[in-house]
Amino acid sequence: MIRPIDIANQLNISTSTLRNYETKGLVPIPARSSNGYRLYTEEHVTYFTCIQAMEPGFGMDATSEILRNIQCKEMDSALRIVNEVQANLHRDTLLAESNIQIFETEHLNILDSHEMIWMTIGEVAEETSLPRSTIRHWEKVGLILSSRDPQNDYRRYNRSQLHKIMLLRTLRPAVYSLDLIGLKQAIAEMDPYDVEHAKRIAHQSLKFLYKVKQEQLRGVHNLYKLCRLLNLMD
């Protein structure tokens, strides 16, 4: 039997975090000693280690769902979630690579006002495959800007804002982290007409997504060890 404080120290987290994982049903309910203390085992340690390893690459929501399925011995359901998250990251990585190609080849000169090409929110949504609600939210929190059509007062966006939206799109499903916050802030503040700056942001976004891929690999490795321990592997 292993004390909670020893597990917490090993994983560099608090004992309250361990209890929180238990309350959320992410680990099996431990036995109790005669005086009411939790009696964790090596199986619990493996569960806790798996959570810590998977969360940076898969996010807590997906990690929680995966581990609940593992406890129910629903291996196929757990792997389906793993594959979906990995597939989404691969899709976003391809989008990030496409953004780099755009910034490498497209000439982003500042246009005179009479040459400005405007797009409606519907046209931006169609070109980026994003819901309008997401575009409105990014504008609300200050990540992008729009102007108003003087004839009908509808939102309209120029190509510079479209490029920001395309960069943000690749990071939309990414796991929350300080790196992600910094990247989004850099996109909000960047001058999209500065080609070199835009290219640097695009490369940083791609580098971030590759880092998430590495985190996912570490998470899958620990999930594999948990499944082996539980004899869920053929």
mmCIF file of all heavy atoms in Angstrom, residues 112-130:
data_model
loop_
_atom_site.group_PDB
_atom_site.id
_atom_site.type_symbol
_atom_site.label_atom_id
_atom_site.label_comp_id
_atom_site.label_asym_id
_atom_site.label_seq_id
_atom_site.Cartn_x
_atom_site.Cartn_y
_atom_site.Cartn_z
ATOM 1 N N ASP A 112 -4.500 50.318 -51.001
ATOM 2 C CA ASP A 112 -5.243 51.567 -50.849
ATOM 3 C C ASP A 112 -6.687 51.243 -50.522
ATOM 4 O O ASP A 112 -7.205 50.185 -50.864
ATOM 5 C CB ASP A 112 -5.179 52.382 -52.143
ATOM 6 C CG ASP A 112 -3.755 52.860 -52.419
ATOM 7 O OD1 ASP A 112 -2.993 53.019 -51.442
ATOM 8 O OD2 ASP A 112 -3.424 53.053 -53.599
ATOM 9 N N SER A 113 -7.341 52.156 -49.857
ATOM 10 C CA SER A 113 -8.696 51.877 -49.378
ATOM 11 C C SER A 113 -9.637 51.516 -50.515
ATOM 12 O O SER A 113 -10.513 50.667 -50.357
ATOM 13 C CB SER A 113 -9.239 53.091 -48.615
ATOM 14 O OG SER A 113 -9.259 54.245 -49.450
ATOM 15 N N HIS A 114 -9.456 52.107 -51.700
ATOM 16 C CA HIS A 114 -10.372 51.801 -52.793
ATOM 17 C C HIS A 114 -10.070 50.440 -53.420
ATOM 18 O O HIS A 114 -10.870 49.920 -54.184
ATOM 19 C CB HIS A 114 -10.303 52.904 -53.862
ATOM 20 C CG HIS A 114 -8.984 52.932 -54.602
ATOM 21 N ND1 HIS A 114 -7.880 53.595 -54.103
ATOM 22 C CD2 HIS A 114 -8.610 52.374 -55.785
ATOM 23 C CE1 HIS A 114 -6.875 53.466 -54.960
ATOM 24 N NE2 HIS A 114 -7.288 52.731 -55.991
ATOM 25 N N GLU A 115 -8.906 49.857 -53.056
ATOM 26 C CA GLU A 115 -8.567 48.541 -53.563
ATOM 27 C C GLU A 115 -8.808 47.442 -52.538
ATOM 28 O O GLU A 115 -8.617 46.271 -52.820
ATOM 29 C CB GLU A 115 -7.077 48.496 -53.976
ATOM 30 C CG GLU A 115 -6.743 49.387 -55.160
ATOM 31 C CD GLU A 115 -5.255 49.333 -55.473
ATOM 32 O OE1 GLU A 115 -4.459 49.110 -54.536
ATOM 33 O OE2 GLU A 115 -4.900 49.489 -56.640
ATOM 34 N N MET A 116 -9.225 47.851 -51.313
ATOM 35 C CA MET A 116 -9.406 46.885 -50.240
ATOM 36 C C MET A 116 -10.469 45.861 -50.611
ATOM 37 O O MET A 116 -11.563 46.214 -51.061
ATOM 38 C CB MET A 116 -9.810 47.600 -48.954
ATOM 39 C CG MET A 116 -9.838 46.705 -47.741
ATOM 40 S SD MET A 116 -8.190 46.200 -47.229
ATOM 41 C CE MET A 116 -7.568 47.735 -46.536
ATOM 42 N N ILE A 117 -10.122 44.583 -50.415
ATOM 43 C CA ILE A 117 -11.063 43.502 -50.681
ATOM 44 C C ILE A 117 -11.696 43.097 -49.354
ATOM 45 O O ILE A 117 -10.996 42.671 -48.428
ATOM 46 C CB ILE A 117 -10.358 42.300 -51.323
ATOM 47 C CG1 ILE A 117 -9.717 42.716 -52.647
ATOM 48 C CG2 ILE A 117 -11.321 41.147 -51.518
ATOM 49 C CD1 ILE A 117 -8.877 41.633 -53.291
ATOM 50 N N TRP A 118 -13.009 43.219 -49.259
ATOM 51 C CA TRP A 118 -13.713 42.911 -48.030
ATOM 52 C C TRP A 118 -14.458 41.589 -48.161
ATOM 53 O O TRP A 118 -14.924 41.239 -49.236
ATOM 54 C CB TRP A 118 -14.709 44.019 -47.680
ATOM 55 C CG TRP A 118 -14.064 45.343 -47.377
ATOM 56 C CD1 TRP A 118 -13.997 46.432 -48.195
ATOM 57 C CD2 TRP A 118 -13.388 45.703 -46.173
ATOM 58 N NE1 TRP A 118 -13.323 47.448 -47.591
ATOM 59 C CE2 TRP A 118 -12.936 47.033 -46.335
ATOM 60 C CE3 TRP A 118 -13.117 45.027 -44.977
ATOM 61 C CZ2 TRP A 118 -12.234 47.705 -45.341
ATOM 62 C CZ3 TRP A 118 -12.422 45.706 -43.982
ATOM 63 C CH2 TRP A 118 -11.996 47.029 -44.180
ATOM 64 N N MET A 119 -14.567 40.892 -47.041
ATOM 65 C CA MET A 119 -15.298 39.636 -47.002
ATOM 66 C C MET A 119 -16.320 39.703 -45.874
ATOM 67 O O MET A 119 -16.038 40.225 -44.795
ATOM 68 C CB MET A 119 -14.345 38.460 -46.764
ATOM 69 C CG MET A 119 -13.247 38.324 -47.790
ATOM 70 S SD MET A 119 -12.095 36.966 -47.388
ATOM 71 C CE MET A 119 -13.154 35.541 -47.624
ATOM 72 N N THR A 120 -17.492 39.158 -46.109
ATOM 73 C CA THR A 120 -18.495 39.073 -45.058
ATOM 74 C C THR A 120 -18.114 37.956 -44.090
ATOM 75 O O THR A 120 -17.264 37.116 -44.403
ATOM 76 C CB THR A 120 -19.881 38.783 -45.636
ATOM 77 O OG1 THR A 120 -19.872 37.464 -46.224
ATOM 78 C CG2 THR A 120 -20.257 39.807 -46.708
ATOM 79 N N ILE A 121 -18.765 37.935 -42.953
ATOM 80 C CA ILE A 121 -18.471 36.879 -41.993
ATOM 81 C C ILE A 121 -18.850 35.509 -42.562
ATOM 82 O O ILE A 121 -18.192 34.502 -42.283
ATOM 83 C CB ILE A 121 -19.194 37.137 -40.648
ATOM 84 C CG1 ILE A 121 -18.670 36.161 -39.576
ATOM 85 C CG2 ILE A 121 -20.701 37.037 -40.799
ATOM 86 C CD1 ILE A 121 -19.155 36.483 -38.172
ATOM 87 N N GLY A 122 -19.880 35.489 -43.382
ATOM 88 C CA GLY A 122 -20.258 34.231 -44.017
ATOM 89 C C GLY A 122 -19.196 33.745 -44.985
ATOM 90 O O GLY A 122 -18.904 32.543 -45.048
ATOM 91 N N GLU A 123 -18.603 34.663 -45.748
ATOM 92 C CA GLU A 123 -17.548 34.288 -46.691
ATOM 93 C C GLU A 123 -16.292 33.821 -45.959
ATOM 94 O O GLU A 123 -15.638 32.852 -46.367
ATOM 95 C CB GLU A 123 -17.231 35.482 -47.600
ATOM 96 C CG GLU A 123 -18.360 35.808 -48.567
ATOM 97 C CD GLU A 123 -18.148 37.132 -49.287
ATOM 98 O OE1 GLU A 123 -17.441 38.006 -48.737
ATOM 99 O OE2 GLU A 123 -18.705 37.296 -50.382
ATOM 100 N N VAL A 124 -15.968 34.491 -44.838
ATOM 101 C CA VAL A 124 -14.815 34.070 -44.039
ATOM 102 C C VAL A 124 -15.067 32.690 -43.439
ATOM 103 O O VAL A 124 -14.188 31.826 -43.447
ATOM 104 C CB VAL A 124 -14.527 35.099 -42.926
ATOM 105 C CG1 VAL A 124 -13.457 34.569 -41.978
ATOM 106 C CG2 VAL A 124 -14.078 36.424 -43.526
ATOM 107 N N ALA A 125 -16.280 32.476 -42.933
ATOM 108 C CA ALA A 125 -16.624 31.180 -42.351
ATOM 109 C C ALA A 125 -16.510 30.066 -43.381
ATOM 110 O O ALA A 125 -16.006 28.974 -43.095
ATOM 111 C CB ALA A 125 -18.040 31.224 -41.766
ATOM 112 N N GLU A 126 -16.950 30.350 -44.605
ATOM 113 C CA GLU A 126 -16.890 29.337 -45.661
ATOM 114 C C GLU A 126 -15.443 29.045 -46.064
ATOM 115 O O GLU A 126 -15.070 27.879 -46.247
ATOM 116 C CB GLU A 126 -17.683 29.804 -46.877
ATOM 117 C CG GLU A 126 -17.704 28.787 -48.008
ATOM 118 C CD GLU A 126 -18.574 29.235 -49.176
ATOM 119 O OE1 GLU A 126 -19.199 30.311 -49.081
ATOM 120 O OE2 GLU A 126 -18.615 28.509 -50.183
ATOM 121 N N GLU A 127 -14.627 30.076 -46.162
ATOM 122 C CA GLU A 127 -13.245 29.872 -46.601
ATOM 123 C C GLU A 127 -12.405 29.169 -45.542
ATOM 124 O O GLU A 127 -11.490 28.402 -45.870
ATOM 125 C CB GLU A 127 -12.598 31.212 -46.959
ATOM 126 C CG GLU A 127 -11.169 31.084 -47.440
ATOM 127 C CD GLU A 127 -10.727 32.250 -48.310
ATOM 128 O OE1 GLU A 127 -11.607 32.987 -48.813
ATOM 129 O OE2 GLU A 127 -9.519 32.402 -48.503
ATOM 130 N N THR A 128 -12.712 29.403 -44.267
ATOM 131 C CA THR A 128 -11.904 28.839 -43.191
ATOM 132 C C THR A 128 -12.536 27.603 -42.547
ATOM 133 O O THR A 128 -11.913 26.974 -41.685
ATOM 134 C CB THR A 128 -11.671 29.884 -42.088
ATOM 135 O OG1 THR A 128 -12.942 30.308 -41.560
ATOM 136 C CG2 THR A 128 -10.916 31.085 -42.638
ATOM 137 N N SER A 129 -13.775 27.272 -42.943
ATOM 138 C CA SER A 129 -14.513 26.139 -42.355
ATOM 139 C C SER A 129 -14.708 26.317 -40.855
ATOM 140 O O SER A 129 -14.657 25.354 -40.078
ATOM 141 C CB SER A 129 -13.788 24.812 -42.637
ATOM 142 O OG SER A 129 -13.666 24.587 -44.027
ATOM 143 N N LEU A 130 -14.910 27.548 -40.427
ATOM 144 C CA LEU A 130 -15.155 27.859 -39.025
ATOM 145 C C LEU A 130 -16.597 28.303 -38.834
ATOM 146 O O LEU A 130 -17.182 28.952 -39.714
ATOM 147 C CB LEU A 130 -14.237 28.989 -38.552
ATOM 148 C CG LEU A 130 -12.766 28.655 -38.329
ATOM 149 C CD1 LEU A 130 -11.965 29.925 -38.142
ATOM 150 C CD2 LEU A 130 -12.599 27.736 -37.123
#
